[in-house]
Amino acid sequence: MTRDDKKPDTDTELSAVVEGHATADPPSVDCLLQSPSDPCTLVIIGASGDLTSRKLIPALYHLFEKKGLPDRFQVVGCGRTALTDDEFRARMEKSVLENDEDQSLWEAFKVRLHYRVIEYDSADSYRELAEQLRELDSTSGTEGNRIFYLALPMFLYGTSAQMLGESGLAVEHEHGNGWTRIVVEKPYGSDRASAARLDEVVHQSFSESQVYRIDHYLAKETVQNILIFRFANAIFEPMWNRNYIEHVDIIASETLGVEKRAGYYETSGVLRDMFQNHMLQLLALTAMEPPSGFESDAVHDEKVKVFQNLRPFPTHNLFENLVLGQYRAGTVDGEPVRGYREEQGVDARSLVPTYGMMQVYLDTWRWQGVPFFLTSGKRLGAKLTEIVIKFKEVPVSTFRDVLGKHITANVLTMGIQPREHITLSFQTKSPGAETCLRTVKMNFDFEEGYAGPKLQAYEKAILDCMHGDQMLFWRQDGIDLAWAFIEPILKECESCKDPKRLLQTYKAGSWGPKAAVQLKELMVKQCR
Ligand code: BG6
């Protein structure tokens, strides 16, 4: 018998929970890895930064290891820091081989890495880059196919996209170019207007079909599985609506604090950092209608309808639907940690929220009256991302004379991370002479029965971009609508004159502000 003590206290009425099992057929060999794409060069602009060594090069190296890269594949890192190819390779080696001893594989990979110094705002600098790329095409057979990955601070995205345009690098199938794609990291703008300005600049040189706006949550296996689970099974979809579902919880809690990103986070906070993007994507996947086919535009079209149907947030009584918090000093994983305001680079009087819990409604036939609670925060009790579908209680309790009126409702949990699972709880009779109920769980672990290679989010995102598949990236209209929803909340918060109302504090290592738990309990009661 197990009980999950780490989860937020949403299941308090469960008397006993017994876990069972689901079994998995082995996956077909075809789904282990897509065949390598066309030959190409990946150009990382901003290659001396953290993202390149922490995420991009390790992702490429692991794809290489899994034979997921085309044979003719090169990487050109561009940055302002003066480095030779060898120095760049030595830096990358440290981040890749930390826990990996396969030196011979690294030797085979590293010869594909090149580095050049670049001025981000100089068209001449990009023209010289274009020259190098053409040379590389002729020596390495990369056929002029290029991905430009902007691993830059946000304020340089527009400049770099513009310079790529001016130097002729954005054009496809001309001047020696094959296909050309641009990858833009989040944050995509800091509000609706800045996102639109960025789009305007990017679209001066690139068409929408060339633009890949990353949301690494979409590339997580278990996030991709939401649509498969919903639309490849006939038994759940008929219940996936207001008639059977009481409310939906979407939770993304982290144990990490702001780390070394205070400069960015102080201008962002949890609403821009997690809600405008990852949380709304999880909501869209949970709530969308079945797309007409499993292809990029059809999926984007349905997501966009979800964003269009978001009920405008009631900013006139903001704090009856939203709790924001900021962590103070506490203990995480047994280690004392400081409060947000004591973090390096954070203003000692900062009012930036590191936690948010909001109630959101969708004005559609399917979802009318069903609240979606979105919760995300840093320095919470555990790393946990999950979507919890809480079904309605039985309409009448047949067992009311023996067991009382309330019978615990069914709960379906889609665990995104760290445990990747799908679990359905239901009621059974407890063995024995007395009539007692017990809640049991039918559980499927995502990796069960699977021994093949797994793709980390960045590996999947890079691979899809190489294949020209935009499904797991943001489309322009989605970004705009997501900002349109979040922006009024941001405005109201940023003009709030009462810091105590605006921001609750919570102890690092806890489950967030008490006010959030209380408000949520109240809101759940109201929706019954
Ligand atoms: C990023 C945010 O997009 O997502 C970070 O900028 C956050 O603040 C991270 O920590 C969470 O991602 P994951 O994959 O660890 O849940």
Side-chain angles (χ1 to χ4, degrees):
M1 197 180 285
T2 61
R3 217 182 144 94
D4 198 342
D5 291 321
K6 286 196 136 184
K7 284 194 348 192
D9 206 15
T10 50
D11 283 350
T12 41
E13 76 268 47
L14 299 190
S15 49
V17 178
V18 180
E19 290 213 6
H21 246 75
T23 52
D25 288 340
S28 86
V29 175
D30 292 351
C31 38
L32 302 185
L33 208 56
Q34 280 164 297
S35 53
S37 69
D38 299 338
C40 65
T41 304
L42 180 78
V43 183
I44 304 175
I45 311 215
S48 43
D50 198 38
L51 181 72
T52 306
S53 55
R54 257 186 338 108
K55 298 282 186 196
L56 303 184
I57 299 294
L60 289 167
Y61 176 72
H62 292 304
L63 282 174
F64 180 69
E65 193 178 21
K66 293 166 197 161
K67 306 201 182 341
L69 295 180
D71 288 338
R72 285 173 283 151
F73 175 74
Q74 300 290 319
V75 178
V76 178
C78 305
R80 271 195 302 227
T81 313
L83 293 175
T84 63
D85 284 357
D86 283 341
E87 285 166 339
F88 179 60
R89 289 169 184 168
R91 276 193 183 194
M92 296 306 119
E93 182 176 351
K94 270 196 208 142
S95 56
V96 168
L97 290 194
E98 225 171 343
N99 305 309
D100 191 335
E101 296 308 316
D102 192 350
Q103 192 67 36
S104 62
L105 193 71
W106 170 255
E107 295 299 322
F109 176 73
K110 80 171 189 192
V111 294
R112 294 158 189 266
L113 302 185
H114 313 270
Y115 186 84
R116 75 172 294 115
V117 178
I118 195 174
E119 286 303 323
Y120 299 129
D121 56 355
S122 151
D124 283 344
S125 204
Y126 286 76
R127 280 189 202 104
E128 285 158 20
L129 167 65
E131 198 46 49
Q132 179 179 356
L133 293 177
R134 278 192 283 274
E135 274 169 38
L136 210 51
D137 286 336
S138 61
T139 54
S140 311
T142 35
E143 297 183 6
N145 297 323
R146 287 158 204 162
I147 297 173
F148 296 96
Y149 198 119
L150 304 192
L152 292 164
M154 181 179 75
F155 71 93
L156 285 169
Y157 292 168
T159 311
S160 187
Q162 191 184 342
M163 293 299 125
L164 286 167
E166 283 184 22
S167 58
L169 280 168
V171 179
E172 294 193 285
H173 311 300
E174 273 180 44
H175 315 306
N177 299 359
W179 50 252
T180 303
R181 295 169 191 151
I182 184 169
V183 182
V184 188
E185 271 288 333
K186 80 171 250 286
Y188 201 84
S190 55
D191 54 24
R192 198 175 186 188
S194 59
R197 278 197 301 276
L198 179 55
D199 265 326
E200 210 179 299
V201 176
V202 169
H203 284 159
Q204 276 162 13
S205 313
F206 295 89
S207 65
E208 181 64 16
S209 65
Q210 293 175 279
V211 186
Y212 290 70
R213 299 176 190 83
I214 285 233
D215 185 316
H216 78 281
Y217 265 55
L218 292 178
K220 290 179 192 280
E221 290 275 16
T222 36
V223 173
Q224 294 167 56
N225 189 46
I226 299 169
L227 289 193
I228 311 279
F229 178 75
R230 286 191 55 201
F231 301 133
N233 293 296
I235 59 172
F236 299 106
E237 207 43 32
M239 296 187 301
W240 212 260
N241 57 48
R242 62 192 301 272
N243 297 326
Y244 294 93
I245 294 178
E246 181 196 273
H247 72 264
V248 178
D249 269 313
I250 302 182
I251 301 158
S253 75
E254 299 184 71
T255 50
L256 290 180
V258 278
E259 309 297 288
K260 293 180 184 147
R261 300 162 71 220
Y264 151 75
Y265 203 83
E266 277 281 273
T267 60
S268 158
V270 72
L271 294 178
R272 286 189 174 88
D273 188 48
M274 292 293 292
F275 280 74
Q276 186 272 342
N277 36 69
H278 310 320
M279 299 304 280
L280 287 187
Q281 281 290 352
L282 294 178
L283 169 70
L285 291 166
T286 309
M288 67 195 260
E289 296 298 322
S292 57
F294 197 55
E295 54 90 18
S296 183
D297 269 333
V299 171
H300 283 293
D301 290 346
E302 291 306 331
K303 283 188 187 173
V304 157
K305 286 185 207 157
V306 173
F307 300 139
Q308 283 167 334
N309 286 318
L310 277 165
R311 185 180 298 170
F313 206 79
T315 44
H316 53 282
N317 52 6
L318 193 68
F319 298 110
E320 283 166 34
N321 297 277
L322 169 75
V323 174
L324 295 175
Q326 189 185 72
Y327 63 85
R328 30 177 226 279
T331 308
V332 173
D333 292 335
E335 296 290 325
V337 297
R338 44 183 139 173
Y340 179 70
R341 290 180 183 181
E342 289 95 57
E343 301 272 20
Q344 204 178 353
V346 171
D347 184 336
R349 285 171 306 169
S350 173
L351 291 177
V352 168
T354 58
Y355 172 98
M357 190 282 292
M358 64 168 74
Q359 173 176 240
V360 170
Y361 283 96
L362 289 168
D363 284 328
T364 61
W365 277 44
R366 187 193 280 263
W367 294 116
Q368 193 56 228
V370 179
F372 288 76
F373 297 106
L374 313 187
T375 307
S376 179
K378 290 200 178 288
R379 285 283 191 235
L380 293 176
K383 172 89 180 161
L384 180 80
T385 307
E386 60 182 26
I387 298 167
V388 183
I389 313 289
K390 188 89 186 269
F391 289 93
K392 290 186 172 172
E393 287 185 11
V394 290
V396 176
S397 169
T398 307
F399 312 102
R400 58 190 172 278
D401 295 338
V402 242
L403 296 170
K405 276 192 199 156
H406 292 291
I407 293 184
T408 305
N410 302 105
V411 179
L412 178 80
T413 306
M414 292 186 272
I416 310 292
Q417 58 184 10
R419 225 187 107 210
E420 303 178 315
H421 68 108
I422 294 176
T423 301
L424 179 67
S425 81
F426 52 93
Q427 302 303 313
T428 58
K429 181 184 177 304
S430 214
E434 294 285 322
T435 303
C436 299
L437 287 190
R438 62 175 178 166
T439 303
V440 294
K441 286 184 175 180
M442 201 155 63
N443 181 47
F444 162 66
D445 266 304
F446 200 68
E447 283 187 47
E448 192 169 306
Y450 180 78
K454 273 192 72 186
L455 290 184
Q456 297 302 319
Y458 270 92
E459 296 170 34
K460 173 70 177 156
I462 291 171
L463 205 59
D464 280 6
C465 181
M466 284 182 194
H467 283 272
D469 183 350
Q470 291 179 303
M471 190 184 310
L472 303 183
F473 297 81
W474 278 89
R475 199 170 68 181
Q476 180 193 16
D477 47 356
I479 291 258
D480 180 55
L481 288 163
W483 277 123
F485 175 71
I486 293 287
E487 193 171 78
I489 309 176
L490 287 168
K491 277 199 179 141
E492 196 63 26
C493 292
E494 283 160 9
S495 64
C496 176
K497 298 276 180 299
D498 181 355
K500 286 215 176 92
R501 262 207 106 199
L502 174 68
L503 205 60
Q504 319 291 316
T505 66
Y506 61 98
K507 200 168 164 197
S510 72
W511 280 109
K514 286 196 186 75
V517 177
Q518 286 159 358
L519 180 63
K520 191 173 154 210
E521 272 170 14
L522 184 73
M523 294 188 295
V524 168
K525 268 193 201 135
Q526 282 167 354
C527 79
R528 282 196 176 134

